[in-house]
Amino acid sequence: MPTSRKPIISGNWKMNLNHFEAIQTVQKLHYSIPKEVFDKVDVSVHPPFTDIRSVQTVIEADDLDLLLGAQHCHWDDKGAFTGEISPAFLAKLDVKLVVCGHSERRDLFGETDEMVNKKVHAIFKHGMTPIMCCGESLDEREAGETEAKVLTQVAAGLAKLQADQVASMVIAYEPIWAIGTGKTATADDAQAVCKAIRGAVGAQFGSDVAAAVRIQYGGSVKAGTTVELMAQPDVDGALVGGASLDPDEFSRIVQFAAD
Ligand code: PGA
């Protein structure tokens, strides 16, 4: 990737680690990443909601270089939405990045492109950065529909955004068949789709925006696959699930991304 885009590695813990475990994990993670690495790569952790306050306190008290993230939010500030999470409340907790449109949210909890777009707007409204996910299923890939699916999701997710917002956000390409399965897209496949996403962003928002937007790959990323992925010109980082639960492995991923 060009040096103008700072790599970003994000750990999506999903529904794992209670708040005690979360505190230990962030402390161990921070300790195992050499300080100077944080100048070269942004690192975010996305704990479950019940952990966020505890993790925020540790990050603040120990002055850790980790960016606090969330995995999801609602688009309204408040109201009668039992069980939902207000983006305004996340911002109050100093959350910097919010994942939205993860395929697990889309497939298991019925999130549509339209809902994802509303969330992206809400995340920006509260001064946070969206990590907007997109990706194709195995059937779609085998039918040769990868680009069509991904670019439709991206266009819908970016609807009615300002160019400077798009330039500042993160898009995560996560082929659904590679998430939690141990199967990774080849670095060439990841590059091809990330390049197509950047091209679509450029066509809609201009080449400066395309050059600035950061695109992550996600799906069974491990330390062993990071170097090749990060060598791709359009891959600017990784959204890491399973491997982010192990501070040693996640730290290696971060350090490889910084090299
Ligand atoms: P995985 O998850 O690394 O466990 O495949 C990635 C993700 O869902 O963000």
Side-chain angles (χ1 to χ4, degrees), residues 81-123:
F81 304 107
T82 301
E84 271 298 340
I85 307 293
S86 159
F89 301 169
L90 292 178
K92 256 299 190 243
L93 283 167
D94 227 10
V95 165
K96 307 287 189 218
L97 294 129
V98 186
V99 174
C100 56
H102 191 282
S103 62
E104 286 154 15
R105 300 291 324 169
R106 292 177 189 263
D107 291 350
L108 303 174
F109 302 101
E111 276 188 23
T112 62
D113 283 341
E114 197 196 357
M115 290 157 82
V116 174
N117 179 245
K118 285 190 203 177
K119 288 171 193 228
V120 170
H121 281 273
I123 294 162

mmCIF file of all heavy atoms in Angstrom, residues 81-123:
data_model
loop_
_atom_site.group_PDB
_atom_site.id
_atom_site.type_symbol
_atom_site.label_atom_id
_atom_site.label_comp_id
_atom_site.label_asym_id
_atom_site.label_seq_id
_atom_site.Cartn_x
_atom_site.Cartn_y
_atom_site.Cartn_z
ATOM 1 N N PHE A 81 -36.280 1.653 21.363
ATOM 2 C CA PHE A 81 -35.625 0.614 20.562
ATOM 3 C C PHE A 81 -34.983 -0.386 21.520
ATOM 4 O O PHE A 81 -33.748 -0.404 21.697
ATOM 5 C CB PHE A 81 -34.565 1.224 19.636
ATOM 6 C CG PHE A 81 -35.108 2.293 18.733
ATOM 7 C CD1 PHE A 81 -34.822 3.625 18.957
ATOM 8 C CD2 PHE A 81 -35.927 1.965 17.658
ATOM 9 C CE1 PHE A 81 -35.333 4.616 18.140
ATOM 10 C CE2 PHE A 81 -36.449 2.944 16.826
ATOM 11 C CZ PHE A 81 -36.159 4.277 17.070
ATOM 12 N N THR A 82 -35.793 -1.200 22.144
ATOM 13 C CA THR A 82 -35.327 -2.105 23.196
ATOM 14 C C THR A 82 -34.090 -2.896 22.754
ATOM 15 O O THR A 82 -34.112 -3.529 21.699
ATOM 16 C CB THR A 82 -36.464 -3.067 23.585
ATOM 17 O OG1 THR A 82 -37.562 -2.287 24.035
ATOM 18 C CG2 THR A 82 -36.027 -4.030 24.690
ATOM 19 N N GLY A 83 -33.073 -2.811 23.559
ATOM 20 C CA GLY A 83 -31.866 -3.592 23.293
ATOM 21 C C GLY A 83 -30.887 -2.928 22.351
ATOM 22 O O GLY A 83 -29.791 -3.449 22.139
ATOM 23 N N GLU A 84 -31.267 -1.800 21.768
ATOM 24 C CA GLU A 84 -30.378 -1.181 20.785
ATOM 25 C C GLU A 84 -29.351 -0.261 21.450
ATOM 26 O O GLU A 84 -29.465 0.101 22.616
ATOM 27 C CB GLU A 84 -31.199 -0.421 19.734
ATOM 28 C CG GLU A 84 -31.601 -1.296 18.551
ATOM 29 C CD GLU A 84 -30.382 -1.834 17.785
ATOM 30 O OE1 GLU A 84 -29.285 -1.270 17.892
ATOM 31 O OE2 GLU A 84 -30.556 -2.835 17.072
ATOM 32 N N ILE A 85 -28.381 0.152 20.661
ATOM 33 C CA ILE A 85 -27.245 0.918 21.171
ATOM 34 C C ILE A 85 -27.204 2.275 20.469
ATOM 35 O O ILE A 85 -27.116 2.342 19.240
ATOM 36 C CB ILE A 85 -25.921 0.171 20.870
ATOM 37 C CG1 ILE A 85 -25.961 -1.274 21.391
ATOM 38 C CG2 ILE A 85 -24.725 0.938 21.414
ATOM 39 C CD1 ILE A 85 -26.002 -1.429 22.876
ATOM 40 N N SER A 86 -27.231 3.324 21.242
ATOM 41 C CA SER A 86 -27.225 4.670 20.676
ATOM 42 C C SER A 86 -25.815 5.083 20.242
ATOM 43 O O SER A 86 -24.870 4.965 21.030
ATOM 44 C CB SER A 86 -27.714 5.660 21.730
ATOM 45 O OG SER A 86 -27.278 6.954 21.419
ATOM 46 N N PRO A 87 -25.676 5.604 19.024
ATOM 47 C CA PRO A 87 -24.348 6.106 18.619
ATOM 48 C C PRO A 87 -23.906 7.278 19.481
ATOM 49 O O PRO A 87 -22.705 7.471 19.706
ATOM 50 C CB PRO A 87 -24.550 6.519 17.152
ATOM 51 C CG PRO A 87 -26.028 6.707 16.975
ATOM 52 C CD PRO A 87 -26.684 5.783 17.964
ATOM 53 N N ALA A 88 -24.884 8.058 19.985
ATOM 54 C CA ALA A 88 -24.521 9.182 20.864
ATOM 55 C C ALA A 88 -23.870 8.669 22.143
ATOM 56 O O ALA A 88 -22.908 9.254 22.647
ATOM 57 C CB ALA A 88 -25.776 9.989 21.209
ATOM 58 N N PHE A 89 -24.371 7.541 22.661
ATOM 59 C CA PHE A 89 -23.817 6.988 23.900
ATOM 60 C C PHE A 89 -22.415 6.412 23.646
ATOM 61 O O PHE A 89 -21.539 6.475 24.514
ATOM 62 C CB PHE A 89 -24.720 5.905 24.483
ATOM 63 C CG PHE A 89 -26.132 6.351 24.804
ATOM 64 C CD1 PHE A 89 -27.104 5.424 25.128
ATOM 65 C CD2 PHE A 89 -26.491 7.702 24.763
ATOM 66 C CE1 PHE A 89 -28.405 5.813 25.423
ATOM 67 C CE2 PHE A 89 -27.796 8.111 25.046
ATOM 68 C CZ PHE A 89 -28.758 7.163 25.380
ATOM 69 N N LEU A 90 -22.229 5.846 22.480
ATOM 70 C CA LEU A 90 -20.893 5.324 22.138
ATOM 71 C C LEU A 90 -19.884 6.474 22.073
ATOM 72 O O LEU A 90 -18.774 6.367 22.587
ATOM 73 C CB LEU A 90 -20.931 4.588 20.786
ATOM 74 C CG LEU A 90 -21.718 3.275 20.754
ATOM 75 C CD1 LEU A 90 -21.696 2.694 19.344
ATOM 76 C CD2 LEU A 90 -21.151 2.266 21.752
ATOM 77 N N ALA A 91 -20.309 7.563 21.437
ATOM 78 C CA ALA A 91 -19.403 8.716 21.329
ATOM 79 C C ALA A 91 -19.034 9.238 22.720
ATOM 80 O O ALA A 91 -17.885 9.611 22.975
ATOM 81 C CB ALA A 91 -20.041 9.814 20.488
ATOM 82 N N LYS A 92 -19.997 9.231 23.636
ATOM 83 C CA LYS A 92 -19.751 9.670 25.016
ATOM 84 C C LYS A 92 -18.695 8.798 25.705
ATOM 85 O O LYS A 92 -18.008 9.224 26.624
ATOM 86 C CB LYS A 92 -21.037 9.546 25.820
ATOM 87 C CG LYS A 92 -21.842 10.791 26.147
ATOM 88 C CD LYS A 92 -21.143 11.806 26.944
ATOM 89 C CE LYS A 92 -22.021 12.928 27.452
ATOM 90 N NZ LYS A 92 -21.624 14.205 26.894
ATOM 91 N N LEU A 93 -18.632 7.537 25.287
ATOM 92 C CA LEU A 93 -17.651 6.607 25.856
ATOM 93 C C LEU A 93 -16.304 6.687 25.126
ATOM 94 O O LEU A 93 -15.448 5.833 25.295
ATOM 95 C CB LEU A 93 -18.181 5.172 25.771
ATOM 96 C CG LEU A 93 -19.241 4.799 26.806
ATOM 97 C CD1 LEU A 93 -19.910 3.485 26.438
ATOM 98 C CD2 LEU A 93 -18.617 4.691 28.192
ATOM 99 N N ASP A 94 -16.188 7.695 24.271
ATOM 100 C CA ASP A 94 -14.928 7.901 23.552
ATOM 101 C C ASP A 94 -14.638 6.818 22.513
ATOM 102 O O ASP A 94 -13.480 6.549 22.187
ATOM 103 C CB ASP A 94 -13.764 7.996 24.554
ATOM 104 C CG ASP A 94 -12.889 9.184 24.229
ATOM 105 O OD1 ASP A 94 -13.290 10.006 23.386
ATOM 106 O OD2 ASP A 94 -11.778 9.267 24.794
ATOM 107 N N VAL A 95 -15.705 6.205 22.031
ATOM 108 C CA VAL A 95 -15.543 5.240 20.943
ATOM 109 C C VAL A 95 -15.162 6.008 19.678
ATOM 110 O O VAL A 95 -15.734 7.056 19.390
ATOM 111 C CB VAL A 95 -16.853 4.439 20.733
ATOM 112 C CG1 VAL A 95 -16.854 3.705 19.404
ATOM 113 C CG2 VAL A 95 -17.035 3.454 21.884
ATOM 114 N N LYS A 96 -14.175 5.502 18.971
ATOM 115 C CA LYS A 96 -13.675 6.200 17.780
ATOM 116 C C LYS A 96 -14.178 5.577 16.485
ATOM 117 O O LYS A 96 -14.350 6.283 15.489
ATOM 118 C CB LYS A 96 -12.135 6.161 17.754
ATOM 119 C CG LYS A 96 -11.470 6.671 19.015
ATOM 120 C CD LYS A 96 -11.580 8.181 19.119
ATOM 121 C CE LYS A 96 -10.731 8.729 20.262
ATOM 122 N NZ LYS A 96 -11.396 9.831 20.953
ATOM 123 N N LEU A 97 -14.308 4.260 16.478
ATOM 124 C CA LEU A 97 -14.667 3.569 15.231
ATOM 125 C C LEU A 97 -15.813 2.596 15.500
ATOM 126 O O LEU A 97 -15.804 1.898 16.515
ATOM 127 C CB LEU A 97 -13.469 2.759 14.713
ATOM 128 C CG LEU A 97 -12.249 3.562 14.262
ATOM 129 C CD1 LEU A 97 -11.002 3.036 14.928
ATOM 130 C CD2 LEU A 97 -12.100 3.509 12.747
ATOM 131 N N VAL A 98 -16.752 2.551 14.581
ATOM 132 C CA VAL A 98 -17.879 1.623 14.743
ATOM 133 C C VAL A 98 -18.021 0.768 13.480
ATOM 134 O O VAL A 98 -18.131 1.298 12.375
ATOM 135 C CB VAL A 98 -19.205 2.374 14.990
ATOM 136 C CG1 VAL A 98 -20.326 1.384 15.297
ATOM 137 C CG2 VAL A 98 -19.062 3.385 16.133
ATOM 138 N N VAL A 99 -17.987 -0.538 13.679
ATOM 139 C CA VAL A 99 -18.230 -1.463 12.568
ATOM 140 C C VAL A 99 -19.715 -1.407 12.226
ATOM 141 O O VAL A 99 -20.565 -1.368 13.119
ATOM 142 C CB VAL A 99 -17.841 -2.908 12.989
ATOM 143 C CG1 VAL A 99 -18.224 -3.911 11.900
ATOM 144 C CG2 VAL A 99 -16.349 -3.002 13.308
ATOM 145 N N CYS A 100 -20.038 -1.381 10.960
ATOM 146 C CA CYS A 100 -21.454 -1.473 10.584
ATOM 147 C C CYS A 100 -21.588 -2.312 9.325
ATOM 148 O O CYS A 100 -20.682 -2.375 8.497
ATOM 149 C CB CYS A 100 -22.091 -0.096 10.427
ATOM 150 S SG CYS A 100 -21.264 0.947 9.275
ATOM 151 N N GLY A 101 -22.724 -2.977 9.235
ATOM 152 C CA GLY A 101 -22.975 -3.812 8.064
ATOM 153 C C GLY A 101 -22.150 -5.086 8.022
ATOM 154 O O GLY A 101 -21.950 -5.672 6.947
ATOM 155 N N HIS A 102 -21.691 -5.541 9.186
ATOM 156 C CA HIS A 102 -20.975 -6.826 9.192
ATOM 157 C C HIS A 102 -21.912 -7.904 8.657
ATOM 158 O O HIS A 102 -23.123 -7.877 8.930
ATOM 159 C CB HIS A 102 -20.522 -7.159 10.623
ATOM 160 C CG HIS A 102 -19.577 -8.314 10.667
ATOM 161 N ND1 HIS A 102 -19.997 -9.612 10.551
ATOM 162 C CD2 HIS A 102 -18.228 -8.351 10.785
ATOM 163 C CE1 HIS A 102 -18.935 -10.411 10.605
ATOM 164 N NE2 HIS A 102 -17.850 -9.675 10.752
ATOM 165 N N SER A 103 -21.381 -8.868 7.957
ATOM 166 C CA SER A 103 -22.252 -9.884 7.328
ATOM 167 C C SER A 103 -23.053 -10.662 8.372
ATOM 168 O O SER A 103 -24.163 -11.123 8.094
ATOM 169 C CB SER A 103 -21.436 -10.838 6.454
ATOM 170 O OG SER A 103 -20.507 -11.521 7.252
ATOM 171 N N GLU A 104 -22.482 -10.806 9.589
ATOM 172 C CA GLU A 104 -23.256 -11.496 10.631
ATOM 173 C C GLU A 104 -24.479 -10.672 11.028
ATOM 174 O O GLU A 104 -25.540 -11.214 11.316
ATOM 175 C CB GLU A 104 -22.344 -11.800 11.841
ATOM 176 C CG GLU A 104 -21.379 -12.940 11.521
ATOM 177 C CD GLU A 104 -20.084 -12.931 12.321
ATOM 178 O OE1 GLU A 104 -19.983 -12.217 13.336
ATOM 179 O OE2 GLU A 104 -19.141 -13.637 11.897
ATOM 180 N N ARG A 105 -24.351 -9.367 11.045
ATOM 181 C CA ARG A 105 -25.502 -8.501 11.323
ATOM 182 C C ARG A 105 -26.495 -8.546 10.145
ATOM 183 O O ARG A 105 -27.702 -8.545 10.340
ATOM 184 C CB ARG A 105 -25.063 -7.047 11.538
ATOM 185 C CG ARG A 105 -24.112 -6.782 12.662
ATOM 186 C CD ARG A 105 -24.651 -6.947 14.055
ATOM 187 N NE ARG A 105 -26.012 -6.546 14.256
ATOM 188 C CZ ARG A 105 -26.713 -6.813 15.366
ATOM 189 N NH1 ARG A 105 -26.139 -7.492 16.366
ATOM 190 N NH2 ARG A 105 -27.940 -6.428 15.494
ATOM 191 N N ARG A 106 -25.962 -8.568 8.959
ATOM 192 C CA ARG A 106 -26.851 -8.590 7.788
ATOM 193 C C ARG A 106 -27.598 -9.931 7.730
ATOM 194 O O ARG A 106 -28.816 -9.962 7.559
ATOM 195 C CB ARG A 106 -26.039 -8.410 6.499
ATOM 196 C CG ARG A 106 -25.400 -7.030 6.317
ATOM 197 C CD ARG A 106 -24.561 -7.027 5.033
ATOM 198 N NE ARG A 106 -23.739 -5.858 4.831
ATOM 199 C CZ ARG A 106 -24.068 -4.802 4.079
ATOM 200 N NH1 ARG A 106 -25.238 -4.755 3.474
ATOM 201 N NH2 ARG A 106 -23.226 -3.797 3.918
ATOM 202 N N ASP A 107 -26.863 -11.031 7.892
ATOM 203 C CA ASP A 107 -27.468 -12.355 7.687
ATOM 204 C C ASP A 107 -28.293 -12.823 8.883
ATOM 205 O O ASP A 107 -29.353 -13.409 8.721
ATOM 206 C CB ASP A 107 -26.383 -13.409 7.396
ATOM 207 C CG ASP A 107 -25.746 -13.171 6.051
ATOM 208 O OD1 ASP A 107 -26.268 -12.324 5.292
ATOM 209 O OD2 ASP A 107 -24.720 -13.811 5.767
ATOM 210 N N LEU A 108 -27.787 -12.582 10.095
ATOM 211 C CA LEU A 108 -28.456 -13.124 11.280
ATOM 212 C C LEU A 108 -29.479 -12.162 11.868
ATOM 213 O O LEU A 108 -30.402 -12.578 12.539
ATOM 214 C CB LEU A 108 -27.419 -13.472 12.362
ATOM 215 C CG LEU A 108 -26.315 -14.451 11.951
ATOM 216 C CD1 LEU A 108 -25.295 -14.591 13.059
ATOM 217 C CD2 LEU A 108 -26.915 -15.807 11.601
ATOM 218 N N PHE A 109 -29.290 -10.863 11.619
ATOM 219 C CA PHE A 109 -30.160 -9.879 12.271
ATOM 220 C C PHE A 109 -30.859 -8.959 11.279
ATOM 221 O O PHE A 109 -31.392 -7.916 11.662
ATOM 222 C CB PHE A 109 -29.358 -9.074 13.313
ATOM 223 C CG PHE A 109 -28.727 -9.964 14.357
ATOM 224 C CD1 PHE A 109 -27.384 -10.301 14.289
ATOM 225 C CD2 PHE A 109 -29.499 -10.504 15.381
ATOM 226 C CE1 PHE A 109 -26.806 -11.148 15.227
ATOM 227 C CE2 PHE A 109 -28.924 -11.341 16.325
ATOM 228 C CZ PHE A 109 -27.582 -11.672 16.254
ATOM 229 N N GLY A 110 -30.831 -9.340 10.020
ATOM 230 C CA GLY A 110 -31.656 -8.676 9.016
ATOM 231 C C GLY A 110 -31.280 -7.247 8.657
ATOM 232 O O GLY A 110 -32.134 -6.463 8.237
ATOM 233 N N GLU A 111 -30.007 -6.891 8.805
ATOM 234 C CA GLU A 111 -29.632 -5.519 8.406
ATOM 235 C C GLU A 111 -29.611 -5.390 6.893
ATOM 236 O O GLU A 111 -29.042 -6.219 6.193
ATOM 237 C CB GLU A 111 -28.247 -5.169 8.962
ATOM 238 C CG GLU A 111 -28.334 -4.685 10.369
ATOM 239 C CD GLU A 111 -27.012 -4.151 10.899
ATOM 240 O OE1 GLU A 111 -26.125 -3.752 10.120
ATOM 241 O OE2 GLU A 111 -26.882 -4.148 12.129
ATOM 242 N N THR A 112 -30.226 -4.339 6.411
ATOM 243 C CA THR A 112 -30.280 -4.098 4.962
ATOM 244 C C THR A 112 -29.266 -3.006 4.596
ATOM 245 O O THR A 112 -28.764 -2.283 5.467
ATOM 246 C CB THR A 112 -31.671 -3.592 4.572
ATOM 247 O OG1 THR A 112 -31.895 -2.342 5.255
ATOM 248 C CG2 THR A 112 -32.761 -4.583 4.956
ATOM 249 N N ASP A 113 -29.041 -2.861 3.307
ATOM 250 C CA ASP A 113 -28.151 -1.791 2.829
ATOM 251 C C ASP A 113 -28.638 -0.430 3.315
ATOM 252 O O ASP A 113 -27.844 0.441 3.649
ATOM 253 C CB ASP A 113 -28.113 -1.778 1.297
ATOM 254 C CG ASP A 113 -27.237 -2.884 0.735
ATOM 255 O OD1 ASP A 113 -26.400 -3.422 1.468
ATOM 256 O OD2 ASP A 113 -27.417 -3.203 -0.461
ATOM 257 N N GLU A 114 -29.952 -0.261 3.325
ATOM 258 C CA GLU A 114 -30.517 1.025 3.729
ATOM 259 C C GLU A 114 -30.218 1.305 5.219
ATOM 260 O O GLU A 114 -29.861 2.424 5.593
ATOM 261 C CB GLU A 114 -32.029 0.988 3.496
ATOM 262 C CG GLU A 114 -32.666 2.343 3.486
ATOM 263 C CD GLU A 114 -34.184 2.266 3.653
ATOM 264 O OE1 GLU A 114 -34.743 1.155 3.726
ATOM 265 O OE2 GLU A 114 -34.786 3.339 3.730
ATOM 266 N N MET A 115 -30.358 0.273 6.032
ATOM 267 C CA MET A 115 -30.048 0.437 7.455
ATOM 268 C C MET A 115 -28.556 0.735 7.643
ATOM 269 O O MET A 115 -28.183 1.577 8.473
ATOM 270 C CB MET A 115 -30.423 -0.834 8.228
ATOM 271 C CG MET A 115 -31.920 -1.064 8.325
ATOM 272 S SD MET A 115 -32.316 -2.813 8.625
ATOM 273 C CE MET A 115 -32.099 -2.945 10.368
ATOM 274 N N VAL A 116 -27.741 0.072 6.876
ATOM 275 C CA VAL A 116 -26.289 0.286 6.990
ATOM 276 C C VAL A 116 -25.974 1.743 6.651
ATOM 277 O O VAL A 116 -25.203 2.417 7.345
ATOM 278 C CB VAL A 116 -25.510 -0.691 6.077
ATOM 279 C CG1 VAL A 116 -24.019 -0.366 6.075
ATOM 280 C CG2 VAL A 116 -25.755 -2.136 6.506
ATOM 281 N N ASN A 117 -26.601 2.250 5.607
ATOM 282 C CA ASN A 117 -26.372 3.640 5.217
ATOM 283 C C ASN A 117 -26.795 4.613 6.327
ATOM 284 O O ASN A 117 -26.106 5.584 6.624
ATOM 285 C CB ASN A 117 -27.105 3.936 3.908
ATOM 286 C CG ASN A 117 -26.931 5.381 3.451
ATOM 287 O OD1 ASN A 117 -27.883 6.148 3.390
ATOM 288 N ND2 ASN A 117 -25.711 5.748 3.120
ATOM 289 N N LYS A 118 -27.926 4.328 6.955
ATOM 290 C CA LYS A 118 -28.384 5.199 8.050
ATOM 291 C C LYS A 118 -27.384 5.165 9.205
ATOM 292 O O LYS A 118 -27.127 6.167 9.863
ATOM 293 C CB LYS A 118 -29.743 4.728 8.555
ATOM 294 C CG LYS A 118 -30.912 5.067 7.630
ATOM 295 C CD LYS A 118 -32.122 4.755 8.396
ATOM 296 C CE LYS A 118 -33.368 4.460 8.006
ATOM 297 N NZ LYS A 118 -34.461 4.125 8.748
ATOM 298 N N LYS A 119 -26.843 3.993 9.455
ATOM 299 C CA LYS A 119 -25.853 3.875 10.538
ATOM 300 C C LYS A 119 -24.582 4.654 10.207
ATOM 301 O O LYS A 119 -24.018 5.326 11.077
ATOM 302 C CB LYS A 119 -25.490 2.407 10.768
ATOM 303 C CG LYS A 119 -26.601 1.635 11.429
ATOM 304 C CD LYS A 119 -26.294 0.167 11.442
ATOM 305 C CE LYS A 119 -27.558 -0.577 11.813
ATOM 306 N NZ LYS A 119 -27.360 -1.566 12.855
ATOM 307 N N VAL A 120 -24.143 4.550 8.957
ATOM 308 C CA VAL A 120 -22.935 5.270 8.552
ATOM 309 C C VAL A 120 -23.127 6.771 8.805
ATOM 310 O O VAL A 120 -22.259 7.441 9.380
ATOM 311 C CB VAL A 120 -22.600 4.993 7.065
ATOM 312 C CG1 VAL A 120 -21.494 5.918 6.577
ATOM 313 C CG2 VAL A 120 -22.192 3.539 6.864
ATOM 314 N N HIS A 121 -24.284 7.291 8.419
ATOM 315 C CA HIS A 121 -24.563 8.714 8.652
ATOM 316 C C HIS A 121 -24.576 9.030 10.145
ATOM 317 O O HIS A 121 -24.050 10.056 10.584
ATOM 318 C CB HIS A 121 -25.906 9.104 8.015
ATOM 319 C CG HIS A 121 -25.801 9.315 6.525
ATOM 320 N ND1 HIS A 121 -25.457 10.525 5.969
ATOM 321 C CD2 HIS A 121 -25.974 8.464 5.485
ATOM 322 C CE1 HIS A 121 -25.424 10.412 4.644
ATOM 323 N NE2 HIS A 121 -25.743 9.164 4.325
ATOM 324 N N ALA A 122 -25.193 8.152 10.929
ATOM 325 C CA ALA A 122 -25.288 8.398 12.375
ATOM 326 C C ALA A 122 -23.903 8.370 13.033
ATOM 327 O O ALA A 122 -23.606 9.172 13.921
ATOM 328 C CB ALA A 122 -26.192 7.343 13.015
ATOM 329 N N ILE A 123 -23.062 7.465 12.587
ATOM 330 C CA ILE A 123 -21.707 7.350 13.152
ATOM 331 C C ILE A 123 -20.936 8.645 12.886
ATOM 332 O O ILE A 123 -20.298 9.212 13.776
ATOM 333 C CB ILE A 123 -20.995 6.100 12.573
ATOM 334 C CG1 ILE A 123 -21.701 4.825 13.054
ATOM 335 C CG2 ILE A 123 -19.519 6.084 12.946
ATOM 336 C CD1 ILE A 123 -21.378 3.580 12.245
#
